[in-house]
Amino acid sequence: MRNCQIELNIESFNPAFTFNSGQVFRWKSLNDNYEDWLGVVEGNVIRIKNRDVLLLGQATNSSDFGELVPRYFSIADNLAEILSSFPQDDLFLKSSISEFPGLRLLTQDPWECLISFVCSINCNIPSIKLKLENLSKMFGEKIHTGMDEKCYSFPSPRALSRAEKKDLLSCKLGFRWKYVQFIAKQVQIGKLDLDRVSSMNYSEAVDELISEVSGKTFGVGPKVADCVLLYSFHLKEAFPLDVWILKYVQEIYGENQAVGKSLSRKNYKSIGEIMRKKFGSNAGYAQLFIYEKIRRRSAITRNTMQA
DNA sequence: TCCCAGGTCCTAC
DNA sequence: GTAGGACCTGGG
């Protein structure tokens, strides 16, 4: 591998806001100023310092670095244009947009993203990071970088489909082990074809991710599906709805009969449709900013959030 | 010791 | 069709 360096030529990008936003879990800050970051993206060990993206090492089956960088950082998205398209009377969203300049939607690998959000089920962000790090150490490929920091690629569908229960449990997956193993098998045998999902529209893709995995659902519900569609397939109509976003929805629409208080399938769908009507085809970007603000606001009152 | 976490699944009604 | 509870586990 030859050393590569690419200047990140986008108008607005803040790595700390972006990497800590809950859309991705494998980036680490190398200093206290959140200005120097290390991550493994599709087999590439990448360091981000100032505006430079440096390639430090590659796994055997890594993506092409030059092609990866503009895609991963979604440089085709004109952030200013997207954010100015949202209704100006939503003061909560408006203040979030001004508080988190440079928070960008990434375009991740669908397979890694899918497993990441299956691992997110009923656990907090530090705990998700731990699970993914454990999986990568045990089932990924070690990548040489010349740094002290040890880096591992995200495990392949093949590796996870062959993983044994005891090993998955030792990665601290808990009850999610069976979801991860099952989904990996579906992908490995071609029953769940993520390439095919990439050619689908939003509602087709939701149905595909939720139903095709098992005949009935098995670890992928509407929330996990929306996360995968937004954070990896870049389907910006997707509006992941979790306990945090529900707080926002209830503050804004508390009196609206159409918005129930639970996240049942039916209610999930109807709230999503209301949000798409409100924010349009880039609703997912709005979700990113709402999530960030509401989570941090709650952390200030409860002082429990960890980066 | 108790509670909660970027949900999903199962059961009872 | 839906409310209510179980679910692994780390960390506060």
Side-chain angles (χ1 to χ4, degrees):
Chain A
M1 185 206 80
R2 65 191 174 84
N3 273 334
C4 288
Q5 180 171 330
I6 294 178
E7 188 183 349
L8 203 52
N9 191 19
I10 39 182
E11 87 281 10
S12 181
F13 173 62
N14 181 310
F17 293 155
T18 302
F19 296 149
N20 281 331
S21 66
Q23 62 178 313
V24 67
F25 305 100
R26 294 242 290 147
W27 284 91
K28 284 182 219 162
S29 175
L30 294 177
N31 68 7
D32 294 337
N33 302 327
Y34 299 104
E35 287 167 349
D36 192 359
W37 291 84
L38 188 68
V40 184
V41 182
E42 298 179 28
N44 295 272
V45 178
I46 294 177
R47 186 171 183 178
I48 296 190
K49 211 172 176 181
N50 304 319
R51 306 282 294 180
D52 293 326
V53 186
L54 291 84
L55 177 64
L56 302 184
Q58 286 183 307
T60 40
N61 285 319
S62 57
S63 300
D64 179 79
F65 179 64
E67 182 273 331
L68 170 70
V69 170
R71 171 167 51 83
Y72 184 74
F73 292 100
S74 312
I75 65 162
D77 282 355
N78 184 328
L79 207 55
E81 194 175 304
I82 289 170
L83 300 181
S84 66
S85 75
F86 296 139
Q88 295 299 307
D89 60 350
D90 188 325
L91 300 180
F92 189 90
L93 175 60
K94 201 174 175 183
S95 68
S96 178
I97 288 171
S98 63
E99 274 176 53
F100 304 108
L103 169 57
R104 293 190 78 85
L105 182 61
L106 299 170
T107 304
Q108 303 174 54
D109 170 54
W111 159 250
E112 177 173 342
C113 193
L114 176 58
I115 296 301
S116 298
F117 282 94
V118 168
C119 287
S120 81
I121 296 174
N122 198 215
C123 62
N124 56 29
I125 289 178
S127 182
I128 301 165
K129 288 181 174 176
L130 177 71
K131 289 171 174 58
L132 297 175
E133 199 54 35
N134 288 341
L135 278 178
S136 301
K137 272 183 193 155
M138 183 168 283
F139 299 105
E141 182 186 340
K142 189 173 181 180
I143 305 172
H144 296 282
T145 61
M147 294 178 71
D148 291 340
E149 199 84 29
K150 289 189 172 59
C151 296
Y152 301 84
S153 66
F154 193 77
S156 65
R158 181 187 164 91
L160 289 186
S161 69
R162 294 174 164 197
E164 290 182 30
K165 176 182 176 181
K166 66 175 174 58
D167 292 330
L168 293 170
L169 286 177
S170 76
C171 291
K172 308 297 179 191
L173 261 59
F175 63 88
R176 304 159 198 81
W177 78 268
K178 54 185 182 290
Y179 301 155
V180 168
Q181 189 195 58
F182 184 86
I183 292 165
K185 283 180 177 166
Q186 299 301 298
V187 172
Q188 178 62 16
I189 64 178
K191 200 162 181 188
L192 175 60
D193 183 350
L194 294 172
D195 286 340
R196 198 171 69 229
V197 177
S198 68
S199 64
M200 294 178 175
N201 66 33
Y202 171 65
S203 69
E204 287 172 338
V206 169
D207 290 343
E208 183 75 4
L209 279 180
I210 292 179
S211 67
E212 191 74 8
V213 169
S214 59
K216 53 180 196 169
T217 58
F218 201 79
V220 183
K223 158 66 169 55
V224 170
D226 267 345
C227 287
V228 175
L229 294 177
L230 181 61
Y231 303 142
S232 70
F233 290 105
H234 214 67
L235 283 172
K236 291 177 292 219
E237 305 97 303
F239 193 89
L241 199 49
D242 63 9
V243 288
W244 297 98
I245 300 289
L246 194 60
K247 293 180 207 286
Y248 156 85
V249 172
Q250 283 169 348
E251 278 180 29
I252 304 282
Y253 293 94
E255 303 304 315
N256 188 330
Q257 293 297 312
V259 175
K261 297 199 184 308
S262 74
L263 281 175
S264 67
R265 285 291 164 98
K266 190 180 166 194
N267 202 33
Y268 187 101
K269 198 169 177 184
S270 72
I271 294 176
E273 278 159 13
I274 292 168
M275 295 298 112
R276 278 182 278 284
K277 197 172 259 181
K278 177 179 166 97
F279 297 116
S281 60
N282 290 311
Y285 253 106
Q287 190 272 4
L288 207 57
F289 282 87
I290 292 165
Y291 177 77
E292 197 57 18
K293 183 172 170 69
I294 204 154
R295 201 167 61 102
R296 291 195 189 227
R297 185 186 70 180
S298 179
I300 291 164
T301 43
R302 290 168 43 221
N303 197 24
T304 58
M305 193 187 81
Q306 297 174 46

